[in-house]
Amino acid sequence: MNHLSNEKSPYLLQHRENPVDWFPWGNGAFEKAKKENKPVFLSIGYSTCHWCHVMAHESFEDKEIAKILNDSFVPVKVDREERPDIDAVYMAVCQAMTGSGGWPMTILMTPDQEPFFAGTYLPKHARYGSPGLMELLEHTVLLWNRDRDRLMQTGQMIVAALNRQEQTSQADDLKTLINRGVQEYKFRFDKQNGGFGTAPKFPAPHNLLFLLEYSQTNNENECLYIAEKTLERMARGGLFDHIGGGFSRYSTDESWLVPHFEKMLYDNAWLVQAYTLAFCITKKDYYREIISRTLAFIRTELTSPDGGFYCGQDADSEGAEGKYYIFSKRELSDVLGDGTERFCHWFGITDDGNFEGKNIPNLLQNKDYAQTPEQIEQLREAVFVYRKNRMALHLDDKILTSWNAMMISSCAKAGFLLDNHTYIEMAERAMQFIESHLFDENGRLMVRYRDGERAFPGNLEDYAFYCLALIDLYQTTFRVRDLKRASELAECMMELFWDAEHGGFYFYGKDDETLIHRPKETYDGAVPSGNSAAAHVLHWLFRLTGETKWMEAARRQADFLSSRAGEAPSGYSYSLLAFLRVQSPAAELVCVSAKTEIPGELSDILRSCTKTPPAVLFKHPENAASLSEAAPFTENYALPESGTMYYFCEGQNCSQPFSDVSQLKKKI
């Protein structure tokens, strides 16, 4: 047994019985490397990663590999999900050195943490043009003993190059960036299958959120079509689990049929937001159904008893990827009896199969997909019960602040816009979990909770997404404490991460461990970057509180992001969405009421709003004092003796207060 047995990370614990003498990231490993003059072998992955499992079985359980690693290196294991700061630094290294990245990530570096080799999955021995881990290790040992200075110089050059990349260029015009981004999406759009580019295809729902809102702000039907086509094909394909609900990580083919079967919390969170906005725009019940089935999966499979959300489910079971999810027609006939043919026809299941001789249920060829018959629902439930008896999928039961915050936002928005209190309750319970378990005794937000332990100082993404979650909860429940908490944590975010000299936010805090590089991530990859999320936080706080400090910070953040987005604007979709909101005439509404409950007609109007949503403040006799603390300008809005008064502003123009709700409907 190695040095991982006392860790909490499910990924690290998967490797605790390897013959490799793994260390967790920390001073112990690097002091050993310095003392023994050995290079460090860094392996980064996560517990539901298929190719991480493959490399573990091929190499890290292999005694021959273990011997050379233990004799000539100091092996270090990192869970990218609980140490995204380390992952961000060395992913930048990997992309700079190889032009691509992914997991498992393999880094060779000096005892001072300076890398001289980067790669991803490596087989034990070279094959099909891919280098082998054994040959790499043997060659590195030879170089370390004969030409160590050269390796050290390589590491120093790479670190210097990384730091040079942080220099910003001239900020581009926001409207120009938005328009260029739209044109790039249109050029890359797959007209036949939806999505962008070729296989593998990732959902990237923040792209779709931008296109949906752009379509409404600019009355632009082509962007709406692109987003809808993609949402429809993803939901009909095998990417969506038609038996148990929820979406897989990505599609391995162009038509969204064959997924990489792991299910991650963050993908499902952002997809819920995209389908919610699409439903609000189109009122198509099919989108509501996808939201319902996805959040049912989250509630039953990825929610802890205390309300926090788990990370995800593995793709593998019984040593095979996707085995849990696929069926032969023959086995279904044993489950469904007389209903077999109807079920198989509905979900495209055949004797020959569509994946390795078996079937991934899908609706790609089903033209009636939007209206599911009651009998199909009953048959689907029978298959779901049957599937539950299979070997259970590995559950990564870490609770991460940033990913929980993303799902809180999604549940809050879906709960309000679809008028479903169950979703709002999910959001509130997860928020309470973070408040109870993920702040330390000094009020510092942390990254991860598992098995009774919170760990690792929160990064920018934790603060930014949790601030957004609190803002979204405020816009759902109008509880002033959520708005005040968002403002408090945004102050902390500015203090810990903001670069006052050059603008932008650093990935990890000034009070955190110092790594070889302090990046400012801006690219919106699988999830939006912390910097783009921070732009939304600053924008919303200014609109909700009226405080000019947030306006100035939002302006500087927009300048910073625009200086990064110029090379390929479509890679910065969540920033583009922030730019779109900055460019659009912003609306603010203060509702002042003699009653403590939000007027039902106001909620109905807000649910029907498809353009950039207004910032809404709700003042009543019981919250007037606390709202004045959170948004000082509201102190001047007098409480009526009865009824409700509306104060509406758009752009820099405010109308006279009015009480006629039909007038409000026209304005919004």
Side-chain angles (χ1 to χ4, degrees):
M1 191 166 294
N2 50 45
H3 298 80
L4 302 181
S5 57
N6 293 323
E7 295 297 309
K8 298 293 186 182
S9 157
Y11 176 63
L12 299 189
L13 292 174
Q14 286 173 347
H15 293 269
R16 63 184 165 180
E17 295 184 1
N18 290 168
V20 177
D21 189 20
W22 293 113
F23 283 76
W25 181 279
N27 290 334
F30 297 108
E31 287 171 2
K32 176 180 171 68
K34 289 175 183 177
K35 182 178 179 180
E36 298 179 6
N37 289 319
K38 291 179 178 178
V40 173
F41 178 89
L42 174 64
S43 177
I44 303 176
Y46 57 103
S47 76
T48 58
C49 165
H50 171 69
W51 286 101
C52 298
H53 300 329
V54 173
M55 190 166 178
H57 295 322
E58 278 186 331
S59 295
F60 301 143
E61 295 172 6
D62 180 83
K63 292 182 179 179
E64 190 178 13
I65 291 286
K67 178 170 174 51
I68 190 169
L69 281 174
N70 296 341
D71 290 348
S72 302
F73 297 82
V74 175
V76 174
K77 262 286 174 196
V78 166
D79 182 340
R80 66 167 290 260
E81 294 171 354
E82 68 176 16
R83 291 304 305 266
D85 51 341
I86 298 169
D87 180 65
V89 168
Y90 291 100
M91 182 59 71
V93 168
C94 188
Q95 290 170 337
M97 294 182 74
T98 69
S100 62
W103 301 277
M105 195 191 321
T106 303
I107 304 288
L108 300 180
M109 59 187 183
T110 71
D112 291 323
Q113 304 174 16
E114 295 176 335
F116 54 82
F117 172 86
T120 53
Y121 163 77
L122 297 170
K124 180 182 176 182
H125 292 292
R127 64 169 184 253
Y128 311 128
S130 175
L133 180 59
M134 179 61 77
E135 291 83 4
L136 171 66
L137 296 177
E138 290 172 341
H139 183 62
T140 301
V141 171
L142 191 65
L143 285 177
W144 188 259
N145 292 330
R146 293 184 180 179
D147 198 1
R148 187 175 308 176
D149 288 345
R150 181 173 143 207
L151 295 180
M152 304 286 255
Q153 289 170 4
T154 299
Q156 292 164 5
M157 290 169 60
I158 291 168
V159 172
L162 280 181
N163 290 322
R164 283 196 300 272
Q165 287 180 2
E166 288 304 314
Q167 298 174 1
T168 57
S169 58
Q170 184 67 35
D172 280 358
D173 174 71
L174 300 189
K175 187 174 182 179
T176 299
L177 288 172
I178 291 168
N179 291 335
R180 284 179 53 205
V182 168
Q183 293 308 312
E184 288 175 12
Y185 288 124
K186 289 180 178 179
F187 178 77
R188 292 170 45 224
F189 176 58
D190 179 345
K191 295 180 176 61
Q192 180 176 350
N193 301 298
F196 306 96
T198 57
K201 278 186 176 174
F202 291 82
H206 37 290
N207 294 346
L208 307 179
L209 283 169
F210 165 69
L211 290 168
L212 286 167
E213 194 159 318
Y214 180 90
S215 75
Q216 299 306 292
T217 303
N218 294 275
N219 296 313
E220 213 272 15
N221 290 330
E222 187 177 354
C223 285
L224 177 60
Y225 172 77
I226 289 171
E228 273 213 88
K229 176 79 171 183
T230 303
L231 289 166
E232 175 210 308
R233 297 296 290 184
M234 288 193 301
R236 293 173 66 184
L239 186 79
F240 183 70
D241 178 3
H242 293 272
I243 305 304
F247 288 85
S248 292
R249 177 75 276 274
Y250 62 86
S251 176
T252 63
D253 65 328
E254 293 185 358
S255 65
W256 305 100
L257 173 63
V258 181
H260 178 45
F261 289 92
E262 65 179 322
K263 290 180 182 176
M264 307 302 292
L265 180 67
Y266 58 83
D267 288 316
N268 284 278
W270 287 101
L271 283 161
V272 165
Q273 288 200 38
Y275 282 96
T276 298
L277 182 53
F279 172 78
C280 289
I281 293 169
T282 67
K283 299 298 184 283
K284 291 181 179 177
D285 286 335
Y286 184 62
Y287 295 146
R288 184 194 285 270
E289 179 185 346
I290 297 302
I291 296 162
S292 173
R293 294 179 61 77
T294 300
L295 289 180
F297 159 73
I298 297 298
R299 189 169 60 250
T300 58
E301 301 286 339
L302 292 186
T303 303
S304 75
D306 293 330
F309 300 118
Y310 298 134
C311 283
Q313 286 180 332
D314 205 342
D316 296 10
S317 60
E318 300 181 63
E321 182 182 3
K323 187 172 183 179
Y324 182 83
Y325 294 101
I326 58 178
F327 305 90
S328 68
K329 188 172 180 179
R330 177 176 294 180
E331 71 178 312
L332 288 175
S333 68
D334 294 335
V335 177
L336 301 176
D338 294 341
T340 302
E341 286 303 322
R342 186 168 189 188
F343 180 87
C344 291
H345 177 73
W346 186 263
F347 285 111
I349 291 168
T350 64
D351 291 320
D352 295 334
N354 55 31
F355 176 69
E356 298 180 356
K358 293 193 175 182
N359 292 274
I360 301 168
N362 72 93
L363 298 172
L364 289 171
Q365 304 303 319
N366 187 332
K367 295 182 180 179
D368 300 319
Y369 69 91
Q371 297 289 333
T372 308
E374 180 61 30
Q375 185 184 1
I376 293 295
E377 289 289 1
Q378 294 170 356
L379 295 170
R380 173 159 50 193
E381 180 63 23
V383 175
F384 176 73
V385 172
Y386 165 74
R387 195 179 75 176
K388 288 290 285 184
N389 291 319
R390 291 177 168 176
M391 178 180 174
L393 296 164
H394 164 69
L395 172 70
D396 189 321
D397 59 358
K398 294 192 310 297
I399 295 174
L400 298 176
T401 297
S402 62
W403 295 8
N404 269 250
M406 295 170 195
M407 186 54 77
I408 291 170
S409 286
S410 301
C411 290
K413 289 181 176 182
F416 179 75
L417 294 170
L418 276 62
D419 197 13
N420 188 313
H421 190 73
T422 298
Y423 304 156
I424 298 173
E425 185 179 285
M426 289 170 66
E428 291 178 320
R429 290 187 71 217
M431 182 273 290
Q432 189 56 54
F433 184 95
I434 291 176
E435 291 292 332
S436 300
H437 297 289
L438 278 155
F439 285 90
D440 71 9
E441 58 279 1
N442 298 314
R444 182 69 157 85
L445 187 58
M446 308 297 278
V447 171
R448 179 269 286 160
Y449 179 90
R450 184 177 184 273
D451 195 20
E453 177 192 85
R454 59 176 172 254
F456 311 114
N459 300 300
L460 171 62
E461 60 185 10
D462 299 296
Y463 278 83
F465 285 115
Y466 189 47
C467 285
L468 269 184
L470 290 165
I471 291 168
D472 287 329
L473 267 174
Y474 174 72
Q475 294 279 67
T476 298
T477 65
F478 299 100
R479 255 193 331 250
V480 177
R481 72 183 190 201
D482 294 332
L483 178 57
K484 292 175 71 174
R485 188 70 169 134
S487 296
E488 291 169 4
L489 290 172
E491 295 271 15
C492 296
M493 181 177 77
M494 296 293 293
E495 172 64 22
L496 289 167
F497 307 102
W498 177 248
D499 181 351
E501 183 178 359
H502 300 106
F505 291 88
Y506 290 109
F507 189 95
Y508 60 86
K510 66 181 185 180
D511 62 342
D512 205 351
E513 174 187 1
T514 301
L515 302 174
I516 59 167
H517 175 54
R518 197 177 179 201
K520 295 177 188 172
E521 289 205 322
T522 54
Y523 178 77
D524 296 323
V527 297
S529 71
N531 266 289
S532 59
H536 286 265
V537 170
L538 300 172
H539 178 68
W540 274 111
L541 283 179
F542 169 62
R543 291 179 61 194
L544 288 165
T545 70
E547 299 219 48
T548 55
K549 66 180 180 181
W550 299 125
M551 178 180 69
E552 176 58 22
R555 183 194 63 77
R556 289 201 64 192
Q557 181 66 355
D559 287 345
F560 168 74
L561 285 169
S562 65
S563 72
R564 294 295 187 92
E567 290 185 8
S570 60
Y572 298 80
S573 58
Y574 206 54
S575 290
L576 295 183
L577 182 55
F579 300 161
L580 183 65
R581 291 177 175 177
V582 169
Q583 291 284 296
S584 303
E588 288 83 32
L589 172 67
V590 180
C591 172
V592 185
S593 178
K595 297 181 179 180
T596 58
E597 289 188 4
I598 193 82
E601 60 267 25
L602 173 58
S603 295
D604 291 341
I605 290 171
L606 293 174
R607 289 187 185 107
S608 66
C609 178
T610 61
K611 295 188 177 182
T612 302
V616 181
L617 292 161
F618 177 48
K619 180 177 179 177
H620 56 77
E622 293 184 11
N623 78 353
S626 59
L627 185 61
S628 295
E629 294 175 3
F633 75 94
T634 61
E635 189 172 356
N636 299 317
Y637 291 71
L639 290 164
E641 293 183 6
S642 62
T644 301
M645 294 297 294
Y646 297 104
Y647 297 78
F648 185 81
C649 301
E650 188 170 20
Q652 283 77 47
N653 300 308
C654 295
S655 66
Q656 288 289 323
F658 54 89
S659 59
D660 183 359
V661 75
S662 63
Q663 188 176 348
L664 176 65
K665 188 172 184 178
K666 289 178 182 178
K667 288 182 177 295
I668 291 183

